Amino acid sequence: RSLHPYTRPLGTRGGPGGVRVSTEPGCTWTAAPRADWIAVSQSSGSGPGTLAYQVAVNTATTDRSGSITVVGRTHGVQQSAYRAEEISREGILSDVGGSCPSFTFNLGGRIFVTDSRTNFDGCDKVRNGVRAFVRGTVLPDGRVLATHVDTDD
């Protein structure tokens, strides 16, 4: 009986993973995650196959390690910490939703969100078709929290 791979590193955003379970045909096994941020697709099985699992987004600022025990073996899961990344985009706003100060919009293929901490040059100017320069911080889920929105309107 064996598992492959033994350890799988995942990024901050988590996502799906899988571990190949090698056993004799008909051999039953159980799977148990050893961290609350890891969910397995099934808690038991029979014979060889692949055990799928899902890892949640890591919003902590520290790396974390967990594991899944299958057929008496341990599959390690390592996930990197959330590290804030600053980005800026310039272009035409689209898919604008919400109202001042809480907007959601698309700019350059990224989803931006705003809130009461966002600095606007004019909150009433945020609408579809307006050209804007936006700075913000990438959130663990991939959206960007806008810290500054400057429109050309």
Side-chain angles (χ1 to χ4, degrees), residues 13-24:
R13 292 188 186 144
V19 59
R20 190 169 59 240
V21 180
S22 298
T23 67
E24 295 296 322

Side-chain angles (χ1 to χ4, degrees), residues 74-105:
T74 300
H75 171 71
V77 179
Q78 299 169 341
Q79 189 177 32
S80 56
Y82 170 66
R83 290 173 181 80
E85 173 191 358
E86 298 288 324
I87 68 166
S88 60
R89 294 285 192 275
E90 185 172 1
I92 305 297
L93 300 179
S94 64
D95 302 323
V96 177
S99 60
C100 192
S102 299
F103 291 105
T104 300
F105 55 84

Side-chain angles (χ1 to χ4, degrees), residues 47-88:
T50 299
L51 173 69
Y53 60 90
Q54 185 72 28
V55 173
V57 172
N58 186 1
T59 58
T61 56
T62 56
D63 293 348
R64 62 187 181 182
S65 296
S67 64
I68 303 168
T69 302
V70 187
V71 295
R73 304 278 195 264
T74 300
H75 171 71
V77 179
Q78 299 169 341
Q79 189 177 32
S80 56
Y82 170 66
R83 290 173 181 80
E85 173 191 358
E86 298 288 324
I87 68 166
S88 60

